Amino acid sequence: MPEYYRKSCVIPSKFLKFEVQISKNKTKVTMNTQEFIALEEKYGAHNYHPLDVVINRGEGVWVWDVEGKKYLDCLAAYSAVNQGHCHPRIINVLKEQASKITLTSRAFRNDQLPLLCKEMCELTGYEMLLPMNSGAEAVETALKAARKWGYKVKGVAENEGEILTCTNNFSGRTISIVSFSTEEQYKDGFGPFTPGFRNIEYGDISALEAAITPNTVAFLVEPIQGEAGIIVPPAGYLKAAFEICKKNNVLFIADEIQSGLGRSGKLFAFNYDEIKPDVVIIGKALSGGCYPVSAVLSGKEVLGVFNPGDHGSTFGGNPLGASIARESIKVLIEEKLVENSYDLGIYFRDKLNAINSPHVKEIRGKGLFIGVELHEKAGGARRFCEALAKRGILCKETHTHVIRFAPPLVIKKEEIDEALVSIKEVLLMA
Ligand SMILES: *Cc1c(COP(=O)(O)O)cnc(C)c1O
């Protein structure tokens, strides 16, 4: 028996002790939390530090762990699950489409992508959509489009184009994207980096004005910075930045992967500033958390720079993802989740403010995109997240001192009230 074959036989058999037969064709895994964690620690790469909760079921705003304990999900998979876990309408479409056709590749056409493009363009007022899978891929796509637009349309000399980005940005983990990160850890050990990016202070309009040169092709910005700790820029910043970009023929690219699709209480966070960015990048909730689907929205002048063969993705625009995205957006609109995010966002923030915790430095955000920043002497947000998890509320600290509250947008007022009882206890603990 060849070595690789013997190995592949041996590994699964080790797990058999965890499986019990529950019917003729069904087995049930009977591992507990600690056993799952031990396996993941042993065999999985350690590029995350999750809370020690092993989830195996979700419905709406609720998830359950393998011990049967129920939690209110206040992270919503970094806002990918705005429509709630396993939304029945989205799961139905997923099942139906999965049994028809899942992947054609873009070598052929399918009957879902054209409808997704049309529906998204009609909803957002853009002319074209380019579909990808992960958020980072859509950001890369927007950066490529901006550079090519710079050379072919704006007339910048080849390879001289510059893209302005912001301090404390987060746009994904590819080498080009971490090239403009200001977070040391995201870059450590991953050089050499992609040139052509320059960072300016987020929220500082004169820094943007001063940084623009004839070679500047684009300004990439998160209308609210999620990973940086739900940082809302000063009022009027986006509008002023947009006008400066217009005046200098620089593309304004909004990364709405996390802040978009209802999270901020508007369809897009830039809607508060009544601007229309040249390029919008979406992902995460575009599939309601049911599949990786991302996209770039823009006009013909920008996305029109791509010719057949310039750019692509095997899975981008596949009929399974496209059908799921179509239904996810319909759910968002028809169930008025954007409005719910706006209303309950105000309610939730007011109630958090009323707790008057000595640990809290600032409560900020828009819609159900809420950051609670703690004083340094509170000892970091992690212990508060762990205390909340014990009480059945799942949150994740971001940047050491911020607790993020971003539940699925299907949450109800009574569910927030219920959560606030535990949140108050935790924010008032010693
Ligand atoms: C999550 C996120 C990304 C990256 O998306 P992935 O799907 O993880 O690649 C990009 N930009 C923002 C603002 C994000 O929050």
Side-chain angles (χ1 to χ4, degrees):
M1 203 192 292
E3 177 70 5
Y4 73 86
Y5 185 75
R6 243 184 301 132
K7 270 194 187 146
S8 71
C9 287
V10 168
I11 292 171
S13 70
K14 281 192 188 167
F15 296 136
L16 287 178
K17 65 175 180 184
F18 297 118
E19 289 180 1
V20 290
Q21 199 84 25
I22 55 171
S23 67
K24 194 158 161 267
N25 305 315
K26 270 195 184 157
T27 57
K28 189 171 181 247
V29 179
T30 59
M31 288 162 61
N32 67 26
T33 297
Q34 290 316 316
E35 288 163 335
F36 280 113
I37 291 170
L39 279 191
E40 187 173 321
E41 289 302 301
K42 181 161 184 220
Y43 294 105
H46 295 176
N47 56 326
Y48 277 90
H49 180 36
L51 289 184
D52 285 341
V53 173
V54 180
I55 295 165
N56 69 354
R57 188 159 71 88
E59 197 182 309
V61 297
W62 304 101
V63 295
W64 285 262
D65 72 10
V66 292
E67 319 287 339
K69 184 173 155 99
K70 182 182 174 184
Y71 302 85
L72 180 77
D73 180 2
C74 275
L75 182 65
Y78 299 95
S79 297
V81 200
N82 287 357
Q83 296 86 340
H85 289 280
C86 300
H87 193 290
R89 280 179 57 183
I90 305 173
I91 295 301
N92 266 340
V93 165
L94 184 156
K95 285 182 181 164
E96 273 190 23
Q97 186 63 44
S99 61
K100 283 194 217 157
I101 180 85
T102 57
L103 181 62
T104 54
S105 86
R106 300 283 305 271
F108 313 118
R109 296 180 192 266
N110 70 67
D111 68 354
Q112 292 300 313
L113 177 61
L115 299 169
L116 174 66
C117 293
K118 175 178 185 279
E119 288 162 6
M120 285 309 292
C121 285
E122 283 176 358
L123 176 70
T124 60
Y126 287 92
E127 292 174 323
M128 285 183 158
L129 176 148
L130 195 156
M132 296 295 281
N133 313 286
S134 69
E137 286 175 305
V139 173
E140 289 272 350
T141 301
L143 298 175
K144 284 171 88 173
R147 281 182 169 184
K148 195 154 189 160
W149 171 87
Y151 305 132
K152 308 289 174 186
V153 180
K154 181 168 177 172
V156 172
E158 193 78 25
N159 295 330
E160 296 293 321
E162 194 170 55
I163 295 174
L164 300 176
T165 51
C166 294
T167 50
N168 299 317
N169 67 75
F170 183 83
S171 276
R173 301 292 200 154
T174 65
I175 285 177
S176 287
I177 293 171
V178 299
S179 296
F180 55 82
S181 178
T182 52
E183 190 63 42
E184 272 316 308
Q185 195 197 352
Y186 295 173
K187 306 181 75 155
D188 182 31
F190 300 131
F193 298 108
T194 307
F197 300 101
R198 181 135 61 106
N199 266 311
I200 55 173
E201 192 67 26
Y202 184 66
D204 182 348
I205 206 65
S206 47
L208 172 64
E209 204 154 24
I212 290 176
T213 73
N215 288 338
T216 309
V217 298
F219 172 52
L220 171 68
V221 64
E222 294 158 80
I224 294 172
Q225 289 186 326
E227 291 319 290
I230 326 292
I231 308 292
V232 182
Y237 169 69
L238 294 174
K239 197 174 179 72
F242 177 72
E243 274 154 16
I244 288 170
C245 288
K246 271 274 122 344
K247 198 174 85 195
N248 291 282
N249 198 21
V250 167
L251 297 178
F252 185 103
I253 306 176
D255 179 347
E256 288 266 7
I257 291 171
Q258 189 165 164
S259 56
L261 304 181
R263 175 52 60 189
S264 75
K266 300 273 183 186
L267 185 62
F268 296 114
F270 63 71
N271 290 141
Y272 284 100
D273 287 69
E274 296 180 331
I275 55 171
K276 188 181 175 200
D278 301 287
V279 181
V280 183
I281 312 167
I282 51 177
K284 293 199 167 111
L286 182 51
S287 66
C290 294
Y291 201 82
V293 186
S294 65
V296 177
L297 287 157
S298 187
K300 284 185 182 137
E301 187 185 285
V302 178
L303 282 178
V305 300
F306 288 125
N307 295 309
D310 284 356
H311 184 59
S313 160
T314 303
F315 279 84
N318 72 76
L320 181 56
S323 68
I324 290 169
R326 292 180 60 210
E327 192 68 9
S328 300
I329 296 300
K330 283 182 194 139
V331 165
L332 200 72
I333 302 300
E334 289 167 17
E335 296 191 2
K336 300 207 179 327
L337 300 184
V338 185
E339 293 84 344
N340 195 50
S341 173
Y342 186 91
D343 295 340
L344 290 187
I346 292 171
Y347 180 77
F348 201 167
R349 272 176 282 133
D350 282 350
K351 291 281 179 184
L352 285 170
N353 270 310
I355 291 174
N356 267 323
S357 159
H359 300 304
V360 172
K361 187 174 168 192
E362 188 186 32
I363 294 168
R364 54 180 178 247
K366 284 184 177 174
L368 287 168
F369 200 21
I370 301 170
V372 175
E373 182 168 347
L374 306 175
H375 290 296
E376 298 221 350
K377 61 177 192 296
R382 178 90 185 187
R383 69 182 182 102
F384 292 88
C385 293
E386 282 166 359
L388 284 167
K390 282 212 182 80
R391 289 165 176 78
I393 297 173
L394 291 183
C395 291
K396 187 74 169 68
E397 78 277 10
T398 165
H399 276 252
T400 317
H401 298 295
V402 181
I403 310 172
R404 166 176 18 204
F405 290 103
L409 307 182
V410 294
I411 197 164
K412 297 189 191 81
K413 188 163 162 287
E414 305 77 71
E415 290 161 339
I416 291 178
D417 287 335
E418 194 186 322
L420 277 161
V421 176
S422 302
I423 293 170
K424 186 170 178 180
E425 260 176 45
V426 167
L427 286 179
L428 293 178
M429 70 187 188

